Amino acid sequence: MAAPILDILGIGNAILDVQARAEDAFLAAQGMARGSMALIDAGRAEAIYAAMGPGVESSGGSAANTCAAAAALGARVGFLGKVAEDALGKVFAHDIRAAGVDFPTAPLAGGAPTARCLILVSPDGQRTMNTYLGACVSFGEADVDEAMVASAAVTYLEGYLFDPPEAQAAFRRAAGVAHQAGRQVALSLSDPFCVGRHRDAFRSLVAHQVDILFANEAEVTSLYETGSFEEAMAAVRREVKLAVLTRSEKGSVILRGDETHVIAAEPAEVVDTTGAGDAYAAGFLAALTQGHALAECGRWGSLAAAECIGHFGARPQSDLKALVAR
């Protein structure tokens, strides 16, 4: 087997993030479930955008955020995701390439506009997301760059992309290509509501095509339909080779076979939790593909997540290499 050219290839939604602060009363008035991610149409996106306070706009998307942070840690990274042939699509492409990520996906011409995610950040840092998927839903099997997948040590799939049937087919194609090339497949469950919409499909994917699973406590208990984290740990240990489960201020738990590694959360002043799980996955995978032990991978993940929640926005603002080198 040839040595990998890429350490990580992310596949996910290419989204422009719009973040603004909001009180819980605003969320209630808008009928939003605090801390959730809701899929919305273009009209709803325009209405929420008009009602939001002053915001910060940046290129985002869960897997794209992971890719940018992993590149900041020195990993060789690529990303596949669909934008439109419009101004926002050009901004996204420029930003992710400037972060050191190879982004070859051709833009969508003549279809829906580039996706955007409207993120309301509560005073305690909790984020509530409203996503208009736009051009993202057109990502399908034809957009899976099989040569890139085969050249990547780990192909990282974003659960948020799982809603359109075309994307589910793309996931299965990417996983098949990766395994045929002797590579690993990682999946982030992304959101408990997303898991609830596609539980059976996710269970099948996890059991048969995923080597590394990333999930937080709410997502993994939703996946296995249990209120017990311990029961969910036992279930996921039986189904995947490596499970990485995050628990906010309780840190994280890494499971591989009979091994259990409990990783403490790094101290941080919570400003904005947007992208914390994405940053954790970036740190973990960057360390893993560099050959570090699992506990060290968890430490890198915790450090990257702590850096992320200490400022507004999901992309790193500090020198992540310096942080993990301490």
Side-chain angles (χ1 to χ4, degrees), residues 2-317:
I5 296 171
L6 293 174
D7 297 310
I8 304 159
L9 175 65
I11 301 180
N13 287 327
I15 298 176
L16 188 83
D17 285 342
V18 182
Q19 295 176 271
R21 300 187 186 278
E23 300 292 332
D24 287 349
F26 178 86
L27 305 181
Q30 291 287 327
M32 298 175 187
R34 189 178 186 276
S36 68
M37 192 286 283
L39 296 176
I40 58 175
D41 60 20
R44 177 73 170 142
E46 290 296 332
I48 295 173
Y49 185 78
M52 291 171 66
V56 175
E57 300 186 359
S58 61
S59 297
S62 178
N65 289 336
T66 293
C67 288
L73 283 161
R76 300 166 299 173
V77 185
F79 175 74
L80 303 179
K82 204 74 168 177
V83 296
E85 201 169 41
D86 57 16
L88 296 186
K90 291 175 182 176
V91 169
F92 180 93
H94 174 271
D95 280 3
I96 198 164
R97 289 169 182 152
V101 177
D102 187 6
F103 177 52
T105 311
L108 177 67
T114 295
R116 70 283 320 259
C117 182
L118 308 176
I119 305 170
L120 289 310
V121 182
S122 298
D124 65 353
Q126 180 62 273
R127 83 283 185 275
T128 302
M129 299 184 290
N130 299 271
T131 305
Y132 168 59
L133 291 174
C136 285
V137 299
S138 68
F139 188 93
E141 286 187 75
D143 296 303
V144 175
D145 187 321
E146 295 190 2
M148 286 188 77
V149 172
S151 75
V154 178
T155 293
Y156 177 77
L157 308 174
E158 173 192 323
Y160 282 132
L161 183 61
F162 210 62
D163 278 295
E166 295 84 356
Q168 294 185 30
F171 273 19
R172 289 188 284 270
R173 169 65 64 85
V177 171
H179 286 146
Q180 189 172 15
R183 312 301 190 189
Q184 294 192 90
V185 174
L187 170 70
S188 168
L189 288 181
S190 295
D191 183 276
F193 295 92
C194 188
V195 173
R197 287 193 295 273
H198 306 290
R199 185 174 290 108
D200 290 344
F202 270 129
R203 286 287 300 272
S204 178
L205 190 69
V206 168
H208 302 295
Q209 292 187 289
V210 171
D211 304 295
I212 307 168
L213 180 69
F214 290 90
N216 65 25
E217 188 166 356
E219 292 156 5
V220 75
T221 53
S222 175
L223 183 69
Y224 294 107
E225 296 183 275
T226 175
S228 164
F229 182 64
E230 289 69 26
E231 290 179 5
M233 283 198 300
V236 75
R237 197 192 294 270
R238 292 191 295 267
E239 292 203 332
V240 294
K241 296 174 185 175
L242 177 58
V244 185
L245 309 177
T246 56
R247 308 186 75 190
S248 300
E249 71 277 0
K250 296 178 185 176
S252 56
V253 180
I254 302 166
L255 308 173
R256 182 175 63 186
D258 294 332
E259 296 178 55
T260 302
H261 302 270
V262 179
I263 310 298
E266 290 291 326
E269 179 182 352
V270 179
V271 174
D272 175 12
T273 59
T274 306
D278 306 334
Y280 185 102
F284 188 95
L285 289 175
L288 185 72
T289 54
Q290 291 181 32
H292 290 290
L294 290 182
E296 180 68 357
C297 296
R299 188 182 76 89
W300 280 39
S302 292
L303 284 166
E307 191 280 337
C308 180
I309 65 177
H311 57 73
F312 210 56
R315 298 289 172 89
Q317 294 181 8

